[in-house]
Amino acid sequence: MKHTTHIYLAAKGIEFLYEGLENLRYATTNRRAVSATRSKRRREGKVLQRMLMHYQDAISEASWAPDDILSDKSQYHTFKLFTDRDFPDSSAFAKEIHGGQYYRASGGGGLPYKVDHLARVISDMNKLRRYNDRCSMNQIMYQFLLISHYIVDAHVPMHCDLRDDPPSARDTTKPRNGNYYSDALHSEIEQIWEDAVKPVAIDEEIIKAKRKDDDRPAPSLSQQVQFNVTNDDHCDEIIPYVIPDNNLMQYMIDLCIQTKERALQLFPIDDPFNWNQQIFSTMTREIFARTIGNLITVWIWIWGER
Ligand SMILES: [Zn+2]
């Protein structure tokens, strides 16, 4: 995702933190969590929301820092999977196998590992703050906003799809009996989302206008990225989950697998360049809602009592 989209989604995660937790579900059964669990998480979420709002000024920098300050894009912002459907009989190229049929080639990015590790570091920082005051709430909230970047990226179809990374002529680590699409498509689609988000983010004063053409009228897709906490229907769309067995790494891997499945719909196996524009608008809404829900899922996992 691009800059404004990262800021916007982190801001929406904060906005829906309390109301979203009313919809808390169990990831394994997709049933609504029992009311005692929801009440407890909502109480914790209310405090976290207040904290994040207090430090919200850092959102613009922290949610974007992984792309331009840390620059760990190729290592940790992706989890490039392939399957027998897009690359038949190519399991020999798999360094890892997930969920039985999802392969990761070497150098395919370790997004779920990064989220798991960073989440545990933040949780430790919070314990140290209470024990000896070595970490400040300021630092901890910055990290909450920073980790949002990786969580958001896990929902981008191109980030979990090996076909986004065509091998160079000398690259022998990737299968060749399938169709790749080019990097240009990746940026093009992220730009469509950025253009849809920007007018909404400016209108809601989440960001300020900085460029001459920042007053461009909103495209029709803007409707699909709009979520307001005062709208009951929007609240129903935001669903955070209880992470099964507290296994955050597995939760993130499963999430990347869902994103890979979306990539297979968006970029048809036979002709991925000819991406599926018919489903794009509906899929955009689904991706944005899932992202906001999962920001809350991971944030409350870090913050809440375990
Ligand atoms: Zn990124």
Side-chain angles (χ1 to χ4, degrees), residues 1 6 64 66-67 72-73 77 149-150 153 159 190:
M1 294 286 194
H6 274 287
W64 186 241
D67 268 0
D72 54 0
K73 226 174 176 146
H77 298 216
H149 185 103
Y150 302 94
D153 275 353
H159 279 240
E190 287 190 337

Side-chain angles (χ1 to χ4, degrees), residues 92-157:
F93 288 94
K95 282 273 173 201
E96 295 170 10
I97 303 176
H98 297 286
Q101 46 158 322
Y102 296 89
Y103 310 121
R104 189 176 77 115
S106 70
L111 191 155
Y113 313 133
K114 174 76 185 191
V115 170
D116 181 63
H117 180 70
L118 185 52
R120 286 170 197 281
V121 169
I122 302 170
S123 166
D124 292 349
M125 286 170 78
N126 206 20
K127 287 179 195 161
L128 289 169
R129 178 186 65 85
R130 288 195 293 258
Y131 173 65
N132 60 15
D133 206 22
R134 290 285 174 178
C135 296
S136 68
M137 191 56 96
N138 187 18
Q139 292 166 324
I140 292 166
M141 288 302 116
Y142 189 89
Q143 296 295 324
F144 264 91
L145 297 170
L146 186 132
I147 199 175
S148 77
H149 185 103
Y150 302 94
I151 301 164
V152 169
D153 275 353
H155 295 79
V156 178

